Amino acid sequence: PISFHIPHGFIGMGEEEGGFLEVEKCVSAYLQAARQLGAEIQYETPCLEWGIEKNSIWVQTPKEKIRAEKVVFAAGPWSCQLLRDLSLKLTVHRVVQFWFQGKNKEILKRINSCFALDMPHGFFYGFPSFENSQYLKVALHKPGEKVQDPSKMKREVFPEDSKEVAKFLSEVMPEIDPIPVEASVCMYTM
């Protein structure tokens, strides 16, 4: 395996049988199971408002008013606006994740597990390259810039976005090139 340069005084743990789930495959499986149970999936259909009447819930979309016994709202960062009447304390943050390559082509083949390190300057985590990704994914888990309107969030990746992750890689995983080859801006709802 790749050699991590773990700071003095850190304690580590390895889980031989640990792993991770590929999000896209999980979502597909949930959608398939929901359909088999009779769910109607509405893609890219904004919910303008919703409410409860007697023993049903109604959802107003731009095209129709839908009534159902049960509703699952999967609005992600738009949940703050959609569910505002429930007084949930949700905050949306702009967070950037990155993909890196090794300083030589063989290095990424030696990383075969997920990892997480709680460093003095942040909690960093990563996933190995696998079937659908040829690079090492690394990110800093912390609240980022607050997003007031998810539709207007800055989707560009700026040079300062990768500074902390690059510092982490240089210190702890020096065999990984600290210049990202890919990046993606996402939203954490916390």
Side-chain angles (χ1 to χ4, degrees):
I2 188 171
S3 57
F4 285 81
H5 293 206
I6 306 297
H8 181 73
F10 272 51
I11 298 172
M13 178 190 85
E15 177 56 60
E16 296 274 331
E17 305 209 8
F20 66 97
L21 301 171
E22 293 182 47
V23 174
E24 292 81 6
K25 289 181 180 180
C26 292
V27 170
S28 293
Y30 280 129
L31 290 172
Q32 181 180 356
R35 278 190 206 91
Q36 289 172 348
L37 293 170
E40 180 183 333
I41 311 295
Q42 296 277 335
Y43 293 99
E44 296 186 31
T45 304
C47 174
L48 302 176
E49 60 180 323
W50 64 278
I52 300 171
E53 288 178 357
K54 297 180 185 173
N55 294 332
S56 69
I57 299 171
W58 59 268
V59 174
Q60 183 65 54
T61 73
K63 295 182 180 178
E64 63 183 324
K65 189 173 199 173
I66 302 167
R67 295 183 188 281
E69 289 181 31
K70 298 177 183 177
V71 173
V72 174
F73 291 111
W78 287 270
S79 295
C80 299
Q81 297 165 352
L82 181 63
L83 305 174
R84 66 184 160 276
D85 293 344
L86 299 178
S87 300
L88 302 173
K89 295 180 180 178
L90 300 174
T91 304
V92 179
H93 297 272
R94 178 185 177 276
V95 178
V96 186
Q97 52 195 353
F98 302 94
W99 286 264
F100 298 89
Q101 58 189 358
K103 290 183 178 174
N104 74 52
K105 296 202 183 284
E106 297 301 310
I107 290 171
L108 294 186
K109 293 177 184 173
R110 298 190 334 232
I111 302 173
N112 56 12
S113 66
C114 303
F115 59 89
L117 284 95
D118 193 2
M119 302 291 288
H121 52 282
F123 184 86
F124 297 87
Y125 65 93
F127 296 92
S129 59
F130 59 97
E131 178 183 321
N132 295 323
S133 172
Q134 60 184 7
Y135 303 116
L136 175 71
K137 178 182 177 180
V138 182
L140 171 59
H141 180 72
K142 75 171 188 178
E145 174 186 336
K146 287 184 182 179
V147 175
Q148 299 304 319
D149 182 350
S151 301
K152 297 178 181 173
M153 184 192 72
K154 293 181 276 185
R155 291 267 180 199
E156 307 85 35
V157 177
F158 303 102
E160 62 270 14
D161 288 332
S162 65
K163 276 186 176 178
E164 293 170 295
V165 174
K167 178 181 179 197
F168 165 77
L169 290 173
S170 295
E171 291 175 1
V172 178
M173 301 176 77
E175 295 172 88
I176 303 300
D177 186 340
I179 299 169
V181 291
E182 290 181 26
S184 176
V185 178
C186 60
M187 292 180 265
Y188 278 12
T189 305
M190 304 168 96

